[in-house]
Amino acid sequence: MNKRTFHCDDHVIVLFGATGDLAKRKLLPGLYHLAASGLMPENYRVIGTAPAKFALSDKEFKAHAKAAATEFGDLKPRGQVWNDFVDKLSFGAADPDDPHPLLDKLAEAEKEIGTCQRLYHLAIPPDAAPSVIKMLGDTGMSDNANVICEKPFGTDYASAKKLDDTLHVCFDESQIFRIDHFLGKESVDNILALRFANGLFEPIWNRDHVSSVQIDVPESISIEGRAQFFEETGTYRDMIVTHLLQVLGFVAMEPPNMITAKALRDEKSKVYDAMPEIDPKHVVRGQYNGYRDEKGVAKNSDTETFIAMKVEIDNWRWSGVPFYLRSGKSMAQRRQTVTLSFKQPTLRMFPIDVGMMKGGRGNALTIDFDDPGWIAINFWAKEPGADMRLGRAEMTFKYEDSFQSQHGLEGYERLILLAMRGDQSLFTRSDGIERLWEISTPLLKKPPKVQPYEPGSWGPESIDKLIAPHHWHLPDGHPGT
């Protein structure tokens, strides 16, 4: 398990918000998994930090990391591998007006390992980020450093632009890694491989053959006690701008001339530049019944826990093809899918019953990007018998059946590794995120009123009108249901 396949410069990694939920669930278990897999630098240190009122001793932080890896990590802490990892952990508190404990720990770590790169992961609330960024600049900690910024990256165009301006005072754009863990998924990257490595698909990936595209990320969980965050954010800011539109960029981009950070991000930005402003008339906002009874939620809250919408891309490849996005809490299933529906042949010579087309499942390509993921192609085939009668058929590729997965990396693990390598391929660039907030402005200014839906459903009934004459592809009978 210790075979090294990637090279990284020696690093000091500083986790802001090290006592928080994200560090506990993802970052600490993820760093341990990277270490056990032989993917960390030869020499590294991990420093946890938080405001002084949440300060831990080194011993307490190591115990905190062990508890996190035990509860949330696939690889449990044991043996020499864990001992080697935990020996590299320390904790230094930092407040904007008193960063000295962190500065001391940073100096101590760099004295131990010599010349190295600094990586700061800001696992902190958005409103805390500006003061932390300023502190990094004022103290010189931003020197020779990269910074990972967590979502949501702003709440509208003005706040995103302001945060970018704050970052650019201390960091060059090449040093900034805006993280979306969806883009760290192997199965999301497989969209690129499916399109650009196979002559079977790229020639038909356009308006001449595709009738509609759906990106569907329903969640079965409720807000789970996160009322304060959700009341300020809502599903559009939490999921659409941050996740679904990022996936859309991969689905809709033109072929890059090479798989590099600049080429990939240039093509994604072209997609966003070609998107008109979002029309609120093409948006359904929903709120599950019982949301207003959650502790911390206003009794007259208009915050959406569900959103479905139609967006367009005005370029040569996609003009006239609707892209439908849907995400929400307390829905019937947890799924993460992209579905391309293909146009019917010009001349339909075979009889197809209306009932056979229920749910819109004619010719379609579905990509499930919920790890480990799968790809399914739906098509018509002749049923056995004397009559020429068509029936649905499906070919499926399952990631877990085709590749060994014991060395696979979870999204956060992969993205942290790429950040240590300085590879921005799967991170969002400032012009891209600012453009998405820009086209969101009409919706944010005049959002349609929320419509109620029952927990365990697929959202408000009006979503069928939104997508007509097309059909939602979930619920369905694809693998994994």
Side-chain angles (χ1 to χ4, degrees):
M1 194 165 185
N2 288 301
K3 183 178 179 181
R4 188 176 300 278
T5 56
F6 291 92
H7 170 73
C8 296
D9 293 335
D10 293 343
H11 263 75
V12 174
I13 302 165
V14 180
L15 301 181
F16 284 86
T19 59
D21 192 63
L22 178 61
K24 179 174 65 174
R25 290 176 177 270
K26 296 291 185 181
L27 305 185
L28 291 168
L31 287 168
Y32 170 50
H33 187 214
L34 288 174
S37 301
L39 296 174
M40 290 295 281
E42 183 175 353
N43 297 296
Y44 70 94
R45 298 291 185 274
V46 177
I47 303 173
T49 188
K53 63 181 179 180
F54 302 116
L56 301 176
S57 66
D58 288 354
K59 183 177 180 180
E60 290 170 333
F61 183 51
K62 293 176 180 182
H64 175 73
K66 185 174 184 178
T70 299
E71 183 175 0
F72 297 106
D74 291 332
L75 182 67
K76 304 307 177 185
R78 61 173 64 94
Q80 191 58 44
V81 172
W82 172 256
N83 293 335
D84 290 343
F85 174 72
V86 80
D87 283 346
K88 296 175 173 64
L89 304 183
S90 62
F91 194 96
D95 287 304
D97 57 350
D98 184 16
H100 292 96
L102 175 57
L103 282 167
D104 291 343
K105 288 294 183 181
L106 185 61
E108 179 183 321
E110 293 181 338
K111 183 179 179 180
E112 291 176 355
I113 64 177
T115 303
C116 63
Q117 182 78 18
R118 300 168 178 173
L119 177 64
Y120 301 107
H121 195 131
L122 307 188
I124 53 179
D127 57 358
S131 61
V132 169
I133 294 164
K134 185 176 185 301
M135 178 185 70
L136 294 175
D138 291 345
T139 59
M141 284 192 283
S142 58
D143 297 342
N144 193 36
N146 292 328
V147 59
I148 296 175
C149 297
E150 280 291 337
K151 64 105 173 175
F153 197 85
T155 56
D156 54 18
Y157 176 78
S159 61
K161 184 70 169 63
K162 183 177 180 180
L163 185 53
D164 274 333
D165 291 344
T166 301
L167 278 163
H168 289 148
V169 171
C170 307
F171 298 96
D172 183 78
E173 180 64 26
S174 64
Q175 300 171 280
I176 302 169
F177 293 74
R178 299 170 189 83
I179 196 168
D180 169 15
H181 68 273
F182 270 38
L183 301 188
K185 292 171 173 282
E186 295 277 5
S187 43
V188 170
D189 281 0
N190 209 29
I191 295 172
L192 298 178
L194 182 73
R195 283 191 61 185
F196 303 132
N198 297 288
L200 175 65
F201 296 111
E202 178 55 26
I204 61 172
W205 208 276
N206 56 57
R207 64 189 299 270
D208 294 328
H209 301 279
V210 176
S211 61
S212 67
V213 180
Q214 293 179 35
I215 303 176
D216 227 332
V217 185
E219 298 181 285
S220 57
I221 61 172
S222 67
I223 63 169
E224 296 193 324
R226 301 165 66 218
Q228 181 177 357
F229 167 81
F230 217 81
E231 278 287 271
E232 295 175 354
T233 306
T235 296
Y236 184 77
R237 290 179 171 93
D238 184 40
M239 294 295 296
I240 303 297
V241 174
T242 305
H243 297 316
L244 274 69
L245 287 174
Q246 299 301 323
V247 174
L248 180 148
F250 275 128
V251 173
M253 70 166 60
E254 293 297 318
N257 56 4
M258 61 185 70
I259 303 296
T260 63
K262 184 178 186 306
L264 285 170
R265 303 203 301 177
D266 283 349
E267 296 304 334
K268 280 182 65 181
S269 289
K270 290 177 186 177
V271 171
Y272 302 146
D273 286 342
M275 292 177 65
E277 290 186 334
I278 294 169
D279 187 343
K281 291 185 295 185
H282 296 154
V283 177
V284 173
R285 296 169 70 241
Q287 186 184 94
Y288 66 79
N289 290 329
Y291 172 74
R292 295 178 184 177
D293 298 327
E294 300 269 6
K295 184 178 180 181
V297 173
K299 294 303 179 184
N300 61 347
S301 173
D302 192 53
T303 301
E304 79 279 358
T305 62
F306 169 94
I307 196 158
M309 59 196 302
K310 180 178 79 169
V311 298
E312 298 176 340
I313 302 171
D314 286 343
N315 61 16
W316 283 92
R317 182 178 292 267
W318 295 114
S319 180
V321 178
F323 284 71
Y324 298 104
L325 314 180
R326 176 171 61 168
S327 186
K329 301 289 188 184
S330 290
M331 297 186 68
Q333 294 178 12
R334 177 187 185 275
R335 299 294 295 278
Q336 298 178 3
T337 64
V338 176
T339 304
L340 283 78
S341 296
F342 292 98
K343 294 181 177 180
Q344 295 294 321
T346 302
L347 178 63
R348 182 181 292 174
M349 64 186 72
F350 299 101
I352 299 177
D353 295 338
V354 173
M356 295 169 66
M357 293 296 294
K358 185 179 180 181
R361 289 184 59 201
N363 297 148
L365 171 67
T366 299
I367 304 167
D368 181 288
F369 57 92
D370 188 6
D371 289 333
W374 46 263
I375 299 170
I377 301 174
N378 294 109
F379 58 97
W380 299 111
K382 180 188 177 300
E383 292 183 348
D387 296 329
M388 176 57 79
R389 179 176 175 81
L390 301 184
R392 289 192 182 118
E394 182 174 274
M395 291 191 297
T396 303
F397 155 82
K398 289 189 176 182
Y399 223 89
E400 62 183 350
D401 293 346
S402 303
F403 298 102
Q404 292 184 344
S405 60
Q406 66 264 34
H407 298 303
L409 299 179
E410 192 267 349
Y412 264 106
E413 296 166 4
R414 189 152 175 257
L415 293 171
I416 291 171
L417 177 61
L418 290 177
M420 286 192 290
R421 299 176 67 203
D423 184 345
Q424 295 179 304
S425 301
L426 302 180
F427 295 85
T428 305
R429 200 165 61 189
S430 60
D431 59 337
I433 195 68
E434 288 177 16
R435 173 60 183 165
L436 290 179
W437 284 121
E438 184 178 22
I439 66 174
S440 301
T441 299
L443 174 62
L444 297 178
K445 284 187 173 180
K446 292 185 177 180
K449 289 188 177 299
V450 295
Q451 301 174 29
Y453 65 96
E454 287 298 320
S457 70
W458 289 100
E461 294 181 0
S462 59
I463 63 172
D464 290 333
K465 183 179 179 181
L466 171 72
I467 203 171
H470 303 285
H471 305 270
W472 294 105
H473 282 265
L474 293 178
D476 61 26
H478 284 321
T481 57

